[in-house]
Amino acid sequence: MGVKKIFSGVQPTGNLHLGNYIGAIKNFVDLQNQNNECIFCVVDLHAVTVKQDPKILKQNVRETAATFLACGIDPKKSIIFNQSSVSAHSEVSWLLSCVARMGWLNRMTQFKEKAGKDKEKASVGLYIYPVLMAADILLYDATHVPVGEDQKQHLELARDISKKFNTDFNAPDFFKIPEPLIQKNFARIMSLKDGNKKMSKSDPSELSRINLTDSDLEIINKIKKAKTDTGSFPTSVNNLKSRPEIENLIGIYLSLSGNKIDHLFSEFKDKNFSFFKEKLSDIIVKKISPISKEIKRLNQDPSYIDQVLEDGSQKAYELSSRKIKDIKKKFGF
Ligand code: AMP
Ligand code: TRP
């Protein structure tokens, strides 16, 4: 297969967790190591769609970049930068907001969830957030976008905006139609306390998620306390029906071990959940412990992180400058 142009973003809103790792960052690393052209962005402009403390935001931008590095993204192979340092993102977002239709944005379920009951009080930024995301992707002619399942609808919107722009301006191949890269199995990691809610940075319960900075003991403890049920360990896929917590723990196990589900059923046949949880903790600790240590080490070296971001921003600036010139020309500016 040819080289893919990869773009993805992660919000610097603290507490990156196992869901971010399995749903997104793990794939970023694989795509990079398959020699694709990769750009990974800390999307700080998206973060300010809800109120942020400026000092904490700056720290979170560094910590998100440190997490990319600790997980295996290599600044010699991939571009790592923060969105607000390249002004083309905001500029193209405005231009694309004149292409996107209100009706399309009105369908976005994430806005409805995040805005809650009082939509009148949500920021306008939160509403047009998916247009900024489309700008991020289209500005670099990205062909493939690795994301978790919750971003699928936003990706479809980016594809619609791209197609409409190409039609409106009679420029058939001007923007690429980006393909989502979403894991087929276990694309959505759920809360350890409620199998119907996704694992999230904003969940008030620390026990609901494994943070990528958790210590080994914290991981072991959280898995011990993870919700299961009174049934016995499943022996087939049919046994997983209506057991979202069990399905989630098994999903985490399979994603991190690379084992097949049939192998798991035979490995844990006749065993109880506490035995499975011990093995699950072992696997998570083995994966997360080195990442957690490396994030903590990098957090002690903010000037190195700032340098990585600055170098990445320079490269992103160069790539985006060419495209934005062409975009403006199309509008007649
Ligand atoms: P965010 O932290 O919302 O910026 O998300 C960063 C990336 O992680 C996106 O690609 C999300 O789709 C993905 N992601 C976030 N939460 C989860 C989850 N619970 N399960 C799987 N992927 C997730
Ligand atoms: N909206 C994405 C999220 O919250 C983050 C994001 C912003 C993104 N721009 C992007 C992801 C471009 C992929 C491509 O997870």
Side-chain angles (χ1 to χ4, degrees):
M1 242 205 278
V3 172
K4 299 184 178 95
K5 279 196 176 178
I6 307 291
F7 186 100
S8 195
V10 174
Q11 295 195 59
T13 36
N15 285 336
L16 278 140
H17 52 69
L18 196 61
N20 294 123
Y21 180 73
I22 294 175
I25 304 175
K26 184 165 148 292
N27 301 340
F28 297 178
V29 178
D30 292 342
L31 287 160
Q32 165 195 273
N33 293 341
Q34 290 153 13
N35 293 326
N36 295 296
E37 283 174 31
C38 297
I39 306 180
F40 300 117
C41 185
V42 181
V43 290
D44 46 7
L45 295 172
H46 277 103
V48 297
T49 53
V50 295
K51 202 166 181 344
Q52 302 289 333
D53 175 332
K55 282 203 195 86
I56 295 177
L57 179 65
K58 196 171 177 71
Q59 235 170 293
N60 282 341
V61 168
R62 285 194 184 117
E63 185 157 330
T64 305
T67 304
F68 283 174
L69 297 172
C71 290
I73 295 172
D74 176 354
K76 290 195 202 77
K77 293 184 186 158
S78 300
I79 296 177
I80 302 175
F81 78 110
N82 64 312
Q83 195 184 24
S84 66
S85 65
V86 179
S87 58
H89 291 254
S90 308
E91 227 175 323
V92 173
S93 180
W94 171 258
L95 297 174
L96 295 184
S97 75
C98 300
V99 176
R101 303 290 96 180
M102 295 277 287
W104 300 354
L105 284 172
N106 285 340
R107 285 198 286 274
M108 295 295 117
T109 53
Q110 194 178 82
F111 173 77
K112 290 178 196 160
E113 279 163 25
K114 285 198 177 171
K117 286 198 190 82
D118 203 353
K119 289 191 185 38
E120 300 282 313
K121 290 222 170 101
S123 73
V124 176
L126 190 65
Y127 181 68
I128 61 161
Y129 168 124
V131 179
L132 176 59
M133 182 163 158
D136 298 340
I137 298 165
L138 300 182
L139 192 50
Y140 298 95
D141 291 321
T143 57
H144 293 82
V145 182
V147 279
E149 221 244 337
D150 61 332
Q151 296 300 315
K152 193 171 173 205
Q153 199 183 30
H154 291 162
L155 241 295
E156 274 158 17
L157 185 91
R159 290 166 61 86
D160 288 342
I161 292 177
S162 174
K163 285 179 201 160
K164 181 160 166 53
F165 181 100
N166 290 351
T167 309
D168 286 358
F169 291 92
N170 198 14
D173 296 314
F174 185 80
F175 280 134
K176 297 275 179 295
I177 316 293
E179 292 288 337
L181 292 177
I182 299 172
Q183 257 177 277
K184 284 199 187 65
N185 301 316
F186 311 109
R188 188 181 284 243
I189 302 300
M190 311 309 279
S191 156
L192 300 178
K193 286 284 156 198
D194 178 350
N196 294 308
K197 258 185 13 193
K198 73 168 186 173
M199 187 178 282
S200 150
K201 294 168 178 172
S202 55
D203 195 314
S205 167
E206 273 292 326
L207 290 177
S208 69
R209 65 178 162 266
I210 307 269
N211 297 313
L212 297 180
T213 47
D214 278 349
S215 68
D216 299 0
L217 259 179
E218 281 169 316
I219 294 172
I220 293 166
N221 205 20
K222 286 177 180 180
I223 293 299
K224 233 184 230 163
K225 293 192 172 141
K227 189 172 169 198
T228 50
D229 58 28
T230 51
S232 50
F233 197 85
T235 50
S236 73
V237 177
N238 275 340
N239 280 166
L240 292 174
K241 273 195 197 121
S242 310
R243 299 177 79 185
E245 286 85 13
I246 311 299
E247 191 175 359
N248 188 44
L249 294 179
I250 286 183
I252 295 173
Y253 186 94
L254 295 177
S255 304
L256 295 181
S257 66
N259 285 354
K260 295 270 174 293
I261 196 157
D262 292 334
H263 181 260
L264 173 133
F265 290 140
S266 58
E267 189 181 354
F268 293 101
K269 198 167 161 254
D270 304 326
K271 298 280 194 295
N272 55 25
F273 279 115
S274 61
F275 180 80
F276 169 69
K277 280 180 164 186
E278 264 175 46
K279 298 286 166 212
L280 177 61
S281 303
D282 287 350
I283 285 192
I284 301 175
V285 165
K286 200 167 150 220
K287 210 30 133 204
I288 301 307
S289 185
I291 294 176
S292 169
K293 290 198 182 94
E294 183 63 1
I295 295 173
K296 285 176 188 143
R297 191 189 70 78
L298 287 165
N299 283 344
Q300 301 302 312
D301 195 356
S303 55
Y304 171 68
I305 304 287
D306 288 348
Q307 192 58 53
V308 168
L309 288 171
E310 217 177 294
D311 293 349
S313 298
Q314 186 56 38
K315 290 180 198 153
Y317 170 77
E318 280 157 26
L319 292 174
S320 63
S321 302
R322 273 177 255 154
K323 190 76 183 180
I324 200 169
K325 249 189 221 154
D326 293 340
I327 299 171
K328 283 171 134 179
K329 233 189 253 166
K330 288 281 176 229
F331 276 92
F333 296 139

